[in-house]
Amino acid sequence: MRRLPVYLVLDTSGSMTGEPIEAVKNGVQVLVSSLRQDPYALETAFLSVITFNSAANQIVPLTELSMFQMPDIQASGTTSLGDALSLLSRKMDTEVTKTTAEQKGDWKPLVFIMTDGEPTDDWKKGLTEFQKRKFGMVVACAAGQGANTGILKQITEVVVQLDTADSATIKAFFKWVSASVSTGSQKIEASGKEVSGLNELPPPPPEVNIVV
Amino acid sequence: MDLKKIIVDASEDQIEDFRSKNQRRIETFILDLWEKYQQNPDPVEIDQAQVIDLADDGDDRQCGEYQPNDPGNPDELGNPDEINVNETEMQKQGASERPQYDAIDLQIKSRHIALPNGKVNQNYDIHFDIEKIIPEISGIKFEGLDQAGLQFVPETKKITGMPRAAGDYKIKMYCRRHDWEEGKPTIEREITLIINPDPRSLWVDLPTPENIEYYKPDCNREFIKVEASETVAAKDMVAASKRGRSHAHEGKPRDDDFMLHFDDGSGWYVMAVADGAGSARYSREGSRIACRTAVDTCITEITNRRETFEKQIRTFSNVRSEENRKQAGDTLYHIIGTAAFKSHKDIEKEAVDKGNPVKDYATTLILSICKKFDFGWFVGAFWVGDGGIGIYIKEPPFLKVLGEADGGEFAGQTRFLTMTEIVQPMELYRRLRFDIVDDFTALILMTDGVTDPKFETDANLNRIEKWHDFWSNLSQEVDFSDDNENSAEQLLKWLDFWSPGNHDDRTIAILF
């Protein structure tokens, strides 16, 4: 079966402590429970969670949506965005099946990166690794005003910004992510192609601003 | 103050006092330790946190703590956190109003205890033996399991049952210390149990509105019985076509089509299947026209050229020379090539008449003509687009795939009959195939709604083992004995097979 891998790459640095991290946890939970109601997603979407603070860590390996269990997420430390990109690249190599003559591989992964601050590590090194792989749609989200959208723009064309990192806004973002995954899994079913641009995703809610 | 030291050496009162003031902080500390242990079991010494390893009963499913399945590379670990905790800082942050808990209680509370997710109407059966991990407790009881249709059997330490409704169930687990006596509190812990819906139940089946342009029934099937006689063979034809679940879910029409014909006078069989492109607005009409025109044209052309064609086939059968092959091939081109070309033209005409772009009618086409001679069966074919066609013999094993699939990862974009470049003479010729075989088990034409789930790749379509599996799967539900009129209904029913992620329209036509 061709899986649609979805990677959530989440900043869990110290600055996310309190309301933001609780909102992220809640957001992931809402995302999973709404995708479970979508037959397209339930059959094809596989979900992984990578968190990054002083180092990046894959806290949920690529898991079938129906088997996904909410991990424990806590905020502390610095913002190793570069390490997160490196880890994501390595996980893509090991977890995502490539197409061969005998087997149709997985669809290109959908990636959602969320951060609220400036990277504190050598992010360009991670970016180089990241750019060597062919990911599908990559959406970077600057949560609040502290994130550097300029750097995110170098990772992906699709950058969105949340005005504030409060729970209502973060929740809105995750709802949009959920709708985007639904759209992505429907599109591969209907046309055999992955989503390739922001215009193919559902329109973001008012809390989620597109950075041009 | 050294937290580790406190836990290990201090008196119970001291622990109580320290813990009640620093509840949250300690929980975090234990969880951190636990996670580190999970990632890298050897180097980290853990005094209090034990490994939870709930044995399962040969079943793959396990319960227990959430396990980050990644064994973790050492280089991915962060720096080990300092174990020394500044007491004053902790008091500032962690002063808590929470009641005095037993140390065991803390252990249970701070552990990430999880139950594997279940699925509606699928038997749930897991071994839950927490007493083995935390030996100081007993008398495990659950509250809320029954809502999920489950029960805990203390004797076997199993949670079993058949969940009937999907949802996130909040289950309460109660237990007590071994030395529990009346008046002492029991320990309580909430666990979330997720029961997934059956994906099949989430698909809705909305009938296609009959008032849409180019309405087409959501399914179709046909059986053509050919009576055995001295001159005519007894192979029958059966076909079925069914709207995919993804279309049914949205009340969209079936884009696939097929057509069968047996010409009594000449003994020629003609079969066609077509798959209208999912992205094309009126592809359902494109596939319908393609099948109809292609079959009609084949009949006409065969009638016109029958004598010459059958003589060429016989000559080729006697001497399989390049020259003889080319002559038969040229006539086949005039028959099938013309059929494909006319189908293309008829679709184009319909588009122009309605003022629509031709690509709105994009469709694939697989077409075959076939006849039994005294020296064997002649099978000719034309194929554009994805899907597949093959002559299959079960014993002795033989497979001939009559062409190449367009599309897939390696061949680039799928081609359609509606593309101008497809109906150029050279291109039409390139897509023709024919062969003469003594006999065969089945000649099968199918759209990608069938080949994708059953063969997966183009390479597999050429592997006879895959065809063996495919045929045995088909034969389990469809009775391919001669003259079985029910085979059409059986084939349609078979088309409803379940394959996650494969919910395209499915069409198959078989000569057997």
Side-chain angles (χ1 to χ4, degrees):
Chain A
M1 196 196 92
R2 308 187 74 177
R3 308 177 300 172
L4 174 65
V6 179
Y7 284 93
L8 301 178
V9 182
L10 308 171
D11 185 342
T12 54
S13 59
S15 54
M16 294 286 286
T17 308
E19 188 180 341
I21 202 72
E22 291 306 317
V24 166
K25 276 197 255 188
N26 190 31
V28 174
Q29 211 136 28
V30 168
L31 170 101
V32 173
S33 44
S34 61
L35 287 180
R36 281 202 188 104
Q37 301 304 317
D38 174 359
Y40 294 94
L42 188 57
E43 288 185 14
T44 54
F46 278 61
L47 199 56
S48 166
V49 180
I50 290 175
T51 55
F52 61 99
N53 42 52
S54 301
N57 204 349
Q58 188 184 39
I59 59 169
V60 182
L62 200 60
T63 304
E64 188 185 339
L65 200 58
S66 66
M67 298 317 287
F68 186 90
Q69 296 219 337
M70 190 59 202
D72 195 52
I73 299 176
Q74 294 189 357
S76 69
T78 55
T79 310
S80 304
L81 179 61
D83 197 23
L85 294 176
S86 302
L87 180 60
L88 173 64
S89 306
R90 290 201 298 277
K91 291 301 166 190
M92 159 120 180
D93 294 346
T94 55
E95 291 181 332
V96 179
T97 313
K98 287 175 186 62
T99 293
T100 64
E102 281 74 36
Q103 190 187 17
K104 274 188 183 161
D106 293 326
W107 300 100
K108 284 190 213 127
L110 273 173
V111 181
F112 296 90
I113 302 169
M114 186 184 204
T115 181
D116 76 334
E118 294 267 351
T120 50
D121 65 344
D122 182 4
W123 60 275
K124 281 194 170 159
K125 196 175 136 206
L127 183 62
T128 312
E129 282 304 306
F130 173 81
Q131 284 169 337
K132 283 183 198 157
R133 275 92 180 162
K134 275 191 184 160
F135 288 93
M137 184 86 182
V138 179
V139 177
C141 173
Q145 303 300 325
N148 186 330
T149 53
I151 290 174
L152 295 181
K153 269 283 177 189
Q154 296 183 50
I155 299 171
T156 174
E157 275 177 29
V158 186
V159 177
V160 296
Q161 184 160 33
L162 313 180
D163 289 333
T164 54
D166 60 36
S167 54
T169 310
I170 289 175
K171 190 175 175 188
F173 171 71
F174 276 97
K175 273 193 170 169
W176 179 64
V177 170
S178 165
S180 299
V181 173
S182 280
T183 304
S185 52
Q186 261 179 58
K187 178 143 194 265
I188 53 175
E189 174 70 49
S191 67
K193 284 181 200 135
E194 294 104 340
V195 287
S196 56
L198 190 59
N199 57 342
E200 291 176 6
L201 296 183
E207 296 91 337
V208 178
N209 311 308
I210 297 163
V211 179
V212 283
Chain B
M1 189 181 290
D2 187 337
L3 178 60
K4 208 169 168 185
K5 209 168 165 51
I6 287 181
I7 291 175
V8 178
D9 301 335
S11 76
E12 204 156 317
D13 284 351
Q14 282 175 297
I15 294 178
E16 277 306 309
D17 184 52
F18 180 83
R19 194 189 38 68
S20 68
K21 285 178 183 155
N22 298 286
Q23 183 81 24
R24 274 187 71 115
R25 196 67 190 258
I26 295 169
E27 285 177 17
T28 311
F29 168 74
I30 292 174
L31 276 169
D32 277 356
L33 257 181
W34 171 249
E35 272 168 22
K36 284 205 181 63
Y37 176 81
Q38 287 286 306
Q39 288 152 8
N40 198 359
D42 296 330
V44 183
E45 279 178 38
I46 296 173
D47 294 326
Q48 295 294 309
Q50 294 134 318
V51 187
I52 289 220
D53 181 18
L54 292 167
D56 62 327
D57 282 1
D59 190 320
D60 282 338
R61 296 142 66 84
Q62 279 195 333
C63 71
E65 299 205 29
Y66 167 75
Q67 308 214 352
N69 301 12
D70 182 9
N73 298 327
D75 65 1
E76 281 166 20
L77 288 175
N79 296 323
D81 283 352
E82 288 293 318
I83 290 177
N84 289 326
V85 178
N86 181 303
E87 194 185 13
T88 48
E89 190 193 324
M90 283 184 67
Q91 280 170 339
K92 258 189 282 170
Q93 291 186 354
S96 146
E97 295 294 317
R98 293 165 78 166
Q100 300 270 317
Y101 287 116
D102 188 273
I104 303 291
D105 183 65
L106 171 66
Q107 207 183 72
I108 289 169
K109 282 263 172 5
S110 58
R111 285 233 164 126
H112 197 124
I113 301 172
L115 293 170
N117 299 353
K119 194 174 153 189
V120 168
N121 293 336
Q122 193 174 296
N123 195 34
Y124 193 88
D125 186 354
I126 60 143
H127 198 188
F128 189 89
D129 192 1
I130 198 163
E131 284 135 309
K132 204 167 149 190
I133 298 111
I134 309 174
E136 300 89 336
I137 58 165
S138 61
I140 305 283
K141 275 187 191 149
F142 286 95
E143 191 181 286
L145 271 181
D146 49 337
Q147 293 164 35
L150 303 177
Q151 53 171 338
F152 176 67
V153 184
E155 293 77 31
T156 56
K157 308 209 187 301
K158 276 188 163 200
I159 298 176
T160 58
M162 184 74 78
R164 294 291 178 203
D168 292 9
Y169 294 93
K170 302 284 177 207
I171 311 289
K172 278 193 178 137
M173 183 185 84
Y174 297 99
C175 59
R176 48 201 194 200
R177 281 181 63 135
H178 278 313
D179 57 0
W180 181 85
E181 45 192 58
E182 205 58 44
K184 282 196 178 174
T186 46
I187 304 162
E188 182 186 321
R189 165 75 197 251
E190 192 178 83
I191 305 173
T192 301
L193 170 68
I194 293 159
I195 301 295
N196 284 289
D198 182 344
R200 297 172 207 221
S201 71
L202 296 177
W203 293 103
V204 293
D205 190 357
L206 298 173
T208 304
E210 293 191 21
N211 58 359
I212 61 162
E213 205 169 6
Y214 304 126
Y215 172 78
K216 177 186 282 193
D218 294 336
C219 68
N220 189 20
R221 70 290 220 179
E222 191 178 9
F223 174 78
I224 294 185
K225 182 171 156 181
V226 178
E227 297 283 359
S229 75
E230 277 181 33
T231 51
V232 179
K235 282 197 195 298
D236 301 322
M237 279 185 288
V238 66
S241 180
K242 187 172 169 54
R243 185 171 65 146
R245 285 186 188 85
S246 52
H247 283 159
H249 195 66
E250 290 157 39
K252 287 182 177 166
R254 171 168 60 102
D255 292 333
D256 275 12
D257 222 314
F258 73 85
M259 191 158 179
L260 304 177
H261 183 82
F262 177 72
D263 191 51
D264 280 319
S266 66
W268 280 89
Y269 295 83
V270 188
M271 306 163 89
V273 301
D275 174 5
S279 52
R281 204 155 44 128
Y282 299 127
S283 66
R284 57 187 175 281
E285 182 64 2
S287 63
R288 194 190 67 84
I289 297 174
C291 290
R292 191 197 55 197
T293 303
V295 171
D296 287 353
T297 310
C298 281
I299 294 161
T300 312
E301 291 296 322
I302 287 171
T303 311
N304 293 342
R305 300 169 189 275
R306 189 177 155 198
E307 209 179 317
T308 321
F309 188 38
E310 291 186 359
K311 200 186 282 177
Q312 287 167 337
I313 293 170
R314 186 172 293 276
T315 310
F316 174 66
S317 166
N318 290 333
V319 183
R320 298 205 176 200
S321 66
E322 270 313 300
E323 174 58 25
N324 290 345
R325 167 175 284 278
K326 186 173 182 306
Q327 288 198 346
D330 284 352
T331 308
L332 181 68
Y333 169 77
H334 283 295
I335 297 167
I336 292 193
T338 306
F341 181 72
K342 280 205 169 170
S343 306
H344 171 92
K345 282 293 169 193
D346 277 4
I347 293 170
E348 190 178 70
K349 183 171 180 299
E350 174 65 20
V352 172
D353 286 354
K354 291 278 163 68
N356 297 321
V358 181
K359 67 174 171 56
D360 280 1
Y361 296 78
T363 182
T364 69
L365 176 65
I366 302 177
L367 177 63
S368 179
I369 61 172
C370 195
K371 183 179 172 166
K372 163 102 162 102
F373 293 89
D374 48 13
F375 49 81
W377 284 85
F378 172 89
V379 182
F382 170 84
W383 174 6
V384 58
D386 42 28
I389 172 171
I391 306 170
Y392 169 71
I393 304 172
K394 191 177 172 190
E395 200 59 52
F398 173 85
L399 169 68
K400 174 147 184 169
V401 175
L402 297 167
E404 290 156 23
D406 294 300
E409 298 292 315
F410 296 109
Q413 290 273 310
T414 300
R415 302 274 156 189
F416 295 109
L417 178 70
T418 34
M419 293 169 167
T420 328
E421 63 267 29
I422 296 299
V423 291
Q424 303 308 311
M426 278 314 291
E427 190 63 20
L428 285 176
Y429 203 92
R430 192 178 73 75
R431 291 169 180 278
L432 290 179
R433 295 287 186 283
F434 72 93
D435 205 352
I436 297 169
V437 291
D438 291 346
D439 197 4
F440 53 81
T441 310
L443 168 68
I444 304 179
L445 289 71
M446 51 204 156
T447 61
D448 68 340
V450 176
T451 52
D452 276 357
K454 294 298 181 187
F455 293 90
E456 212 175 323
T457 64
D458 301 343
N460 285 345
L461 193 63
N462 289 294
R463 290 175 54 202
I464 190 146
E465 312 86 73
K466 284 278 171 186
W467 283 77
H468 286 323
D469 294 347
F470 178 58
W471 185 253
S472 97
N473 173 265
L474 253 175
S475 309
Q476 274 169 18
E477 287 194 42
V478 185
D479 174 11
F480 288 108
S481 50
D482 196 28
D483 296 345
N484 175 21
E485 309 239 358
N486 293 329
S487 59
E489 210 56 51
Q490 291 164 350
L491 191 60
L492 182 64
K493 192 166 163 272
W494 174 83
L495 278 184
D496 205 25
F497 64 81
W498 189 262
S499 171
N502 289 305
H503 304 299
D504 199 0
D505 296 347
R506 296 168 178 169
T507 302
I508 185 166
I510 304 171
L511 174 62
F512 66 99

